[in-house]
Amino acid sequence: MTIAFGNPDRPNSYIGKTVPRPNAGKLAQGRGRYVDDIVLPRMVHVAFVRSPMAHAKITGIDAAAAKGVKGVLRVFTGADLAEVCSPWVAVLAHLKGLKSPPQHAMAVDRATWVGEPVVAVVATSRAAAEEGAALVEVDYDPLPAVTGMMTALDKETPVLHAEMGDNLAFRRLHEEGDVDAALASAHKVVTAWFRTARHTGVTLEPRSILADWNPAEGQLTAYHATQAPHMMQTVLAKHLDIPEGRVRVICGDVGGSYGIKVHVYPDEVATAAIAKVMGRPVKFVADRLESFTSDIHARDHEIEAKIAVDENGKILAIDVDDWTAIGAYSVYPRTSAIEGNQVVNLCGGPYDFANYRARTTVVFQNKTPTCQYRAVGHPIAVAITEGLVDMAAAAIGMDPVEIRRRNMYADDAYPVTSPAKMRFEALSHHASMDKLLELMDYETLRADQAEARKRGIHRGIGIASFIELTNPSPFMYGIGGARISAQDGCTVRMDPDGSIVALSGVTEQGQGTEAMLAQVVAEGVGVSPDRVRVITGDTQVTPYGGGTWASRGAGIGGEAALQSARALRGSILEVAAAMLQADQSRLDIRDGKIVDADSGEERMPLEELGRIVYFRGDTLPKGLPRELVQTRHFITSDYPFAFTNGMQASYLEVDIETGVVKLLKHWCVEDCGRIINPQLVDEQIRGGIVQGLGGALFEEIHYDADGQLLNGSMADYLVPMAAEMPDMVIGHVETPTNESELGAKGAGEAGTAGAPAAVMNAINDALRPFGAQVTEMPFTPERILRALGKLED
């Protein structure tokens, strides 16, 4: 039977409907079970002594006072853990030239950033562990710190890792067409410098792990707030020398991730190593202060870029020179070069032009390592592209909507390959633009802007078109040798009472994975979503899969769930046909009942079929298949990635006396393919927009010249709050992917991808009468006043 997704005339169609989250009641009542809620017999706690210096030799460690604290059981140095935990090197084979030195679970003889773990203190309570850690004395011999990005490769700059030869981690140059010729012949060439500040995720639940080594069974169980349980199973097995089948990773409720929790952290691996040494459960939960120096950072880029257009506004060429600094190490196993690589891949994405040159230069420095964070590389690439497009429009006196209209790929042009060699299956730039202009009433806003300007009120409208990379294939990581699965699986079974259990490799991080999977399985089997129980995040129970990252949950995990649910449906109907002596093709499952497909007449409830199969199988025909459980896996095969697209717009007001930006309204039209749950998609987009606005206006990690973090607390690091957020209007266009029957792409990072560019263009639209322009995020009042010439450098 062919299912017409989202067809309201089809009975019991759950795709495209808002269905409540099955875990909402539990979480609202405070009954979630996070890592810190778990208490095991003989459990101990670990606290880490972290380096206060950006770069220094470790010349001595005195833990005598710490060992005297009541409750302190053991003190471990980096050298101690190096005996039981092998180091890792975070490189990918397909990123040619990428290099990084071996990294240990704790610093062995040299600390390379403020916050690197140096000593671990284990005690019967967290308080005792912290008290002991405060008494450990570490002797440091300071070394020159590499803190600058643009000077990291200068001859006079010290080399951070001598064995690497220089401070270059990775460099990639991509060229298509003849950029220099296009620049030389262009009607207008606009050059701009962009900077995106380093910031971090600030997840509601800090990073946490509880590792339990059972020497009797030779098994490690890790309760871990992670996005990728099977990836962590592989990592812990490899570096602690345990058979992979003897490592179980359990990921229960997680209080937000945003990419922060998809990486290998040395302190988390150290916790597991300590558990193996001590033969008892060891818990580590990062506190908010240490999170600022130990969670990965992201977005630290400086870019010089050019755009060339003809007199009609047609884009002739884009030229991008991106620099990014990744801290002391490339982060394992995904590597820290991916963000710069994504800038190369994504710049210019929505536009049809021929000549493209992009380079990324990735350097080491003595700061907290950077790596993948929500919408990896997307906000940088979109800000560059959309900033240049707006500047080009202003240079030739063209409306910013019109210049985009003239350059975006036509909606009927697909499939196409971009100048960056990204393959697009089907996108909807023009339909999305139509929808956006309708939602925002563009002409009325322009009139309001003009009227306000007469009253000395300076408002701006910013438009940003974007593409979003989702549903990655093995071309993302597997091709580079990383054991990160691009497939995912789902096992679906029917229990005797007719209820359905679905076990999936994708994880719930607060984004609604359980609701999405319940809807898809309900649709595939023919029951209501409240009859489906979803289990995720347990490597010993769920099928092997990649987990939750790169907006792959619905597109990859959802398709696996659909296929397994359909297979189960077929198994149920085969048994029902034998029991009812009916033609299987004339039967259907609707609302948990076997019915006549044509008339809808009920023939048998699923619980009756379950009773017979499980308890009176002797009454069924001999040889009749009766396995009411099915497993299916899914992986994309036709395209390396499923690209989505959309448009965002920001309407804001700039106080030219104070430099303060007031957000008035924000719009986003997004095409994520088939929409499974509209409310969940809208929530994801709004949440992404908030994080994008944070990067645009508030968030910035500050270091001094010696590598000291200057604002590592919530008192000094600004994040967007409800009072600062505008009303957000969300709209959709649906262009399902043909890679799957479900047709879903991803939606988790779209809001973050386009929001900063829309805000930047809106600010610059407001400042244009003054000849001022800002391109350094966040766009603080100080930077706006400097652009207006009201503050001196």
Side-chain angles (χ1 to χ4, degrees), residues 627-642:
E627 289 78 25
L628 300 185
V629 57
Q630 294 286 345
T631 299
R632 294 293 185 273
H633 286 79
F634 177 71
I635 189 170
T636 55
S637 56
D638 295 331
Y639 289 84
F641 313 100

Side-chain angles (χ1 to χ4, degrees), residues 470 686 706:
T470 75
R686 287 192 176 94
D706 296 320

Side-chain angles (χ1 to χ4, degrees), residues 186-216:
H187 174 68
K188 287 285 185 181
V189 175
V190 175
T191 301
W193 174 83
F194 299 88
R195 180 176 178 271
T196 57
R198 173 183 280 245
H199 52 270
T200 189
V202 195
T203 56
L204 289 174
E205 177 200 21
R207 291 186 299 105
S208 50
I209 184 171
L210 169 55
D212 181 13
W213 171 252
N214 185 334

Side-chain angles (χ1 to χ4, degrees), residues 110-434:
R110 186 169 59 105
T112 54
W113 81 87
V114 172
E116 183 173 11
V118 175
V119 178
V121 179
V122 184
T124 54
S125 69
R126 174 67 186 239
E130 290 185 348
E131 182 181 351
L135 296 175
V136 174
E137 295 185 4
V138 182
D139 293 328
Y140 295 99
D141 184 5
L143 296 170
V146 179
T147 57
M149 177 192 298
M150 306 304 291
T151 59
L153 301 182
D154 291 354
K155 290 183 178 180
E156 59 271 21
T157 300
V159 175
L160 201 164
H161 303 289
E163 66 273 29
M164 296 289 99
D166 55 31
N167 292 321
L168 179 67
F170 176 67
R171 177 172 278 157
R172 178 190 170 196
L173 172 64
H174 176 84
E175 291 187 274
E176 187 75 13
D178 191 337
V179 173
D180 291 329
L183 293 172
S185 64
H187 174 68
K188 287 285 185 181
V189 175
V190 175
T191 301
W193 174 83
F194 299 88
R195 180 176 178 271
T196 57
R198 173 183 280 245
H199 52 270
T200 189
V202 195
T203 56
L204 289 174
E205 177 200 21
R207 291 186 299 105
S208 50
I209 184 171
L210 169 55
D212 181 13
W213 171 252
N214 185 334
E217 296 181 353
Q219 173 150 328
L220 176 70
T221 301
Y223 302 88
H224 195 189
T226 179
Q227 297 171 234
H230 284 102
M231 181 196 82
M232 289 308 304
Q233 176 190 31
T234 299
V235 168
L236 294 174
K238 177 179 179 180
H239 295 285
L240 297 180
D241 193 25
I242 305 170
E244 195 163 328
R246 290 294 184 175
V247 175
R248 181 183 185 185
V249 177
I250 300 174
C251 172
D253 292 319
V254 177
S257 292
Y258 322 128
I260 292 293
K261 296 173 183 172
V262 78
H263 307 293
V264 172
Y265 287 91
D267 47 21
E268 294 175 4
V269 178
T271 302
I274 291 168
K276 187 181 179 187
V277 171
M278 297 185 69
R280 61 194 299 177
V282 181
K283 179 187 283 187
F284 166 65
V285 179
D287 67 30
R288 185 60 67 191
L289 292 177
E290 67 183 327
S291 290
F292 275 99
T293 59
S294 62
D295 290 1
I296 63 105
H297 295 171
R299 313 281 203 249
D300 196 4
H301 291 254
E302 291 190 30
I303 308 103
E304 184 176 339
K306 299 176 183 178
I307 188 171
V309 296
D310 66 15
E311 61 274 12
N312 297 313
K314 175 64 179 173
I315 297 173
L316 303 178
I318 292 178
D319 189 5
V320 176
D321 187 7
D322 167 63
W323 282 67
T324 182
I326 61 169
Y329 295 92
S330 173
V331 176
Y332 188 62
R334 295 167 186 270
T335 83
S336 302
I338 289 292
E339 184 163 86
N341 198 58
Q342 290 291 70
V343 171
V344 174
N345 288 339
L346 299 173
C347 277
Y351 302 110
D352 184 4
F353 64 102
N355 306 293
Y356 179 59
R357 179 167 58 209
R359 172 188 293 149
T360 187
T361 301
V362 182
V363 298
F364 294 115
Q365 59 181 178
N366 291 112
K367 295 181 182 178
T368 300
T370 71
C371 207
Q372 283 87 310
Y373 171 57
R374 193 173 192 172
V376 184
H378 292 64
I380 297 101
V382 177
I384 296 166
T385 304
E386 297 303 296
L388 289 174
V389 168
D390 255 34
M391 294 173 197
I396 62 174
M398 184 175 288
D399 185 86
V401 170
E402 179 60 26
I403 195 171
R404 287 172 172 82
R405 287 285 199 201
R406 296 187 181 192
N407 286 283
M408 294 186 302
Y409 284 108
D411 289 354
D412 61 358
Y414 299 96
V416 298
T417 300
S418 76
K421 296 304 182 186
M422 295 292 101
R423 294 172 58 202
F424 302 144
E425 177 194 7
L427 301 176
S428 59
H429 295 298
H430 291 273
S432 297
M433 177 72 88
D434 291 341

